[in-house]
Amino acid sequence: MGSTHDLPVPPFYAFAGAFAALFVSFLGLGLLWSVSRFRGDRSGRALPARVQRAADARPLRAALRGLGSAACLFVVLHLVLGPDDPARNPAAGAVHVLFWVGLLPASVLLGPVWRLLNPLRALHALLPRRPAAVRPLPPRLGMRPAAAGLLAFTWLELASPHPASRASLLAFLTLHTVVHLACAARYGERWFTHADPFEAYSTLLARLSPFGRRADGLLVLRHPLHGLDSTPPTPGLVATVCVLLGSTAYDGIRDTPAWITTLQTSPLGRTATATLGLVSAVALVATLYCLCAGATRLLSGPLAHPLGAFAHSLVPIALGYLVAHYATLLVTEGPRTVIMALGADDPPPAAPPLSHGGIAALQIGAVVTGHVLGVVAAHDRAVRLFPPHRAVVGQLPLFALMIVYTLGGIGLLVA
């Protein structure tokens, strides 16, 4: 959903420009950036005290939680009582466009907004609880449940036979609610922070927000790459980012003529083949990153967190892919969904705000910018972790990986 093919950009120029941008960035960083400059959650200028008080005020947080719950109730009522026709029921657009895609700009601009809106937190607060029965989260669990949840949602969106039907959406939302409320009853509210897939998605994207929290708890205005550097190497971080990258890559693959033919002729059936394609895309992205991490360790020496040390550098790459594939979808289908929610029957989608060439420039620019930011983030981490004579050499596997990801991403756009 949301990918664009046959863009009016000659593939040679797209590939050459992307490679040149990455190469110049890597070379310039190696020559001019010899000391780590990012300070993670120790950076940022504190916002005025009245802004801090307003942001942390209980009435505001209660209002936001109520807003999220009301929006969820609106979707559920339309799924239960509305027509089973996505052209006349705004529920599917609300989930797949306004929620899933809309969380991207909201989180990047404002911070981890889903943590404040999450209706499951509101439900958990209303349920009877026994504090003595709450157990600490297993340290090795990390974000792995979030990665599994994101894979389940992207399967619903990209591989299930009826992603927009009332039955499919109700089944997913019911299972999601039951599982996470049961786990929160066992592990407490911290479960949502680590394991809710949509909180993980929003929080990762919010690492690139100009707003964030310092280690002392103050709300600050900071450089987005400082926020990115504060991403902890939590278990499951690599899996979560690879699900975002791999599922977006599969979204580009599934609309190509070759893959459509494969789906139509596969003896496994359409759904099984699509599922295999989605899982394979995620597995390929993860395998390439793990190989890269192993090569980096061989070249530069042991690391405390060999897989997680550079996983944060994949976040801007995932953001670039998401913008390239879904920006047009949000601005065309988003208003249509809102109009349907207000009572209109099957309104036409809005016209794209850019020409075909403008969309091409936006998509390729998003992919390349994401990879350049990834190169910068990886380089700063490398000069912090490795001795000076090994820092640049240790980045070569990461640089090669980003070239592969970039060429693959652009290839899907211009295919």
Side-chain angles (χ1 to χ4, degrees):
M1 183 183 294
S3 58
T4 302
H5 299 282
D6 300 320
L7 297 175
V9 176
F12 173 79
Y13 293 110
F15 290 132
F19 178 80
L22 289 177
F23 181 76
V24 170
S25 300
F26 181 77
L27 184 62
L29 290 168
L31 294 174
L32 303 174
W33 196 309
S34 58
V35 178
S36 175
R37 303 181 185 184
F38 299 147
R39 295 185 296 119
D41 60 7
R42 294 177 291 112
S43 67
R45 177 178 297 178
L47 294 176
R50 62 181 179 276
V51 177
Q52 302 274 351
R53 289 193 297 270
D56 294 333
R58 286 188 177 182
L60 175 61
R61 290 175 174 264
L64 291 173
R65 194 65 52 79
L67 178 63
S69 300
C72 181
L73 181 61
F74 172 87
V75 171
V76 171
L77 288 176
H78 275 79
L79 288 175
V80 173
L81 304 175
D84 197 10
D85 179 3
R88 296 188 298 120
N89 191 329
V95 172
H96 290 300
V97 180
L98 296 180
F99 171 61
W100 175 244
V101 184
L103 264 184
L104 191 158
S107 301
V108 172
L109 293 175
L110 302 175
V113 292
W114 191 243
R115 185 180 300 170
L116 300 175
L117 296 170
N118 192 347
L120 294 186
R121 286 183 179 265
L123 277 174
H124 173 70
L126 294 174
L127 295 175
R129 287 175 288 173
R130 292 188 304 160
V134 174
R135 301 183 181 183
L137 278 170
R140 298 185 63 181
L141 189 68
M143 298 175 65
R144 292 188 175 99
L150 284 173
L151 184 60
F153 180 79
T154 54
W155 178 87
L156 170 70
E157 182 186 23
L158 303 175
S160 68
H162 304 291
S165 72
R166 292 191 310 161
S168 297
L169 288 170
L170 275 173
F172 175 83
L173 293 176
T174 301
L175 182 62
H176 175 78
T177 299
V178 170
V179 167
H180 286 280
L181 286 181
C183 291
R186 182 179 180 86
Y187 296 113
E189 196 173 17
R190 284 177 57 85
W191 169 265
F192 298 113
T193 302
H194 293 272
D196 185 288
F198 305 114
E199 282 204 17
Y201 171 63
S202 177
T203 301
L204 277 178
L205 295 177
R207 295 291 178 183
L208 288 163
S209 172
F211 301 102
R213 295 277 180 180
R214 263 192 339 218
D216 57 10
L218 289 179
L219 186 64
V220 297
L221 185 67
R222 65 187 178 192
H223 191 291
L225 289 179
H226 283 284
L228 180 65
D229 188 67
S230 69
T231 307
T234 309
L237 173 63
V238 173
T240 302
V241 180
C242 287
V243 168
L244 290 176
L245 281 171
S247 61
T248 310
Y250 176 73
D251 187 28
I253 294 170
R254 74 191 187 110
D255 289 333
T256 60
W259 186 249
I260 291 173
T261 301
T262 300
L263 289 177
Q264 293 173 343
T265 59
S266 172
L268 297 176
R270 190 183 187 92
T271 301
T273 304
T275 301
L276 182 61
L278 172 63
V279 172
S280 298
V282 174
L284 177 61
V285 169
T287 300
L288 290 174
Y289 176 78
C290 291
L291 291 173
C292 167
T296 298
R297 189 176 183 183
L298 287 175
L299 290 173
S300 301
L303 291 169
H305 303 281
L307 286 180
F310 293 94
H312 71 298
S313 66
L314 299 182
V315 175
I317 299 174
L319 175 61
Y321 277 29
L322 289 165
V323 170
H325 283 265
Y326 296 119
T328 305
L329 177 71
L330 180 62
V331 298
T332 55
E333 291 294 331
R336 179 175 180 272
T337 300
V338 172
I339 293 171
M340 267 199 295
L342 295 175
D345 189 16
D346 195 14
L354 299 174
S355 65
H356 211 40
I359 293 174
L362 171 66
Q363 293 182 315
I364 294 175
V367 171
V368 174
T369 300
H371 282 83
V372 170
L373 292 177
V375 169
V376 174
H379 177 82
D380 187 87
R381 182 63 58 86
V383 297
R384 182 189 309 166
L385 295 178
F386 303 139
H389 64 284
R390 290 185 178 180
V392 174
V393 174
Q395 292 178 72
L396 289 176
L398 277 168
F399 180 60
L401 176 69
M402 291 185 183
I403 290 176
V404 172
Y405 283 171
T406 303
L407 298 184
I410 293 178
L412 292 175
L413 292 175
V414 302

